[in-house]
Amino acid sequence: MPRVFAHRGMSSLAPENTLAAFRLCREHGVRWFECDVDVLADGTVILTHDTTFDRCTNTTGGYYHLEKSDLEKIDAGSWFGDEFIGERIPTLDDLFALMEELDLSVNIEIKSRENTAHSLITNLAQGIKQSGLNKQKRIIVSSFDCALVAEFKKICDVPVGCIFDINTLADDWAATMKWVDATYVNPSNNGLKREHVDMFKKEGYGVNVWTVNELDRANQLFNWGVDGIFTDVAQKFPSRYKFLLKTEQN
Ligand code: G3P
Ligand code: MG
């Protein structure tokens, strides 16, 4: 059964990559969501898409010099709406606690930056193992940086995916997938054709496409055999793709 992932949480209804955005998944019956992770100076894994806080908080600048306690002063919700004033940038521990509480599942995207990548994957792997959620098949980890995914896979037993821009897909993509020991290909929606999907499925990979915000395009992709799509508008999708309102084991 095809899957809808709420991209950065319910990111058209709440500030992206916040607990508020993930909580709304429960309300809308969406079991699976996507989030982006990076790491602070003290090794705390945080949920954020960008390399600076400029776009999605009330402050500016990078965060690689910050520690966990610094997050208490930063508001990640007031830019989006009054009801989100006081929303914090979540840590990995916050994320896992909420997933336990609401019975959610996640595709975690590793944001790879040269100097912090090792700290990020080490602390991410440790957090995942401590959570035990990997044993319940509720976590997928992916990245554009396939070498980093390969490194991560060696230290943490979870299904992993390689994210590709389909317009620049390398000829040796299949060799990369094997080397990484990946379960999923995550291709861009932009430029994706039926031949690509056939090619990925022929090699036996799960295919999760980003970012699909139109219902008819999602339907087309699912009819081609795509396994999942990441969307900013998960609330618009029928319940059969979302799983919390049904009994499927997904
Ligand atoms: O994980 C799929 C998608 O999120 C990749 O792009 O920039 O939205 O993190 P981006
Ligand atoms: Mg992402």
Side-chain angles (χ1 to χ4, degrees), residues 7-8 34 36 49 109 111 142 144 163 210-211 230:
H7 184 234
R8 309 181 194 173
E34 186 258 10
D36 307 289
H49 179 275
E109 183 191 341
K111 287 300 184 192
S142 61
F144 283 99
I163 308 178
W210 53 277
T211 304
F230 299 93

Side-chain angles (χ1 to χ4, degrees), residues 7-8 16-17 34-36 48-50 55 107-111 142-144 163 186-188 208-211 230 232:
H7 184 234
R8 309 181 194 173
E16 66 179 54
N17 283 318
E34 186 258 10
C35 67
D36 307 289
T48 185
H49 179 275
D50 301 355
R55 189 172 59 88
N107 183 131
I108 297 173
E109 183 191 341
I110 301 172
K111 287 300 184 192
S142 61
S143 182
F144 283 99
I163 308 178
N186 293 13
S188 59
N208 294 325
V209 182
W210 53 277
T211 304
F230 299 93
D232 300 319

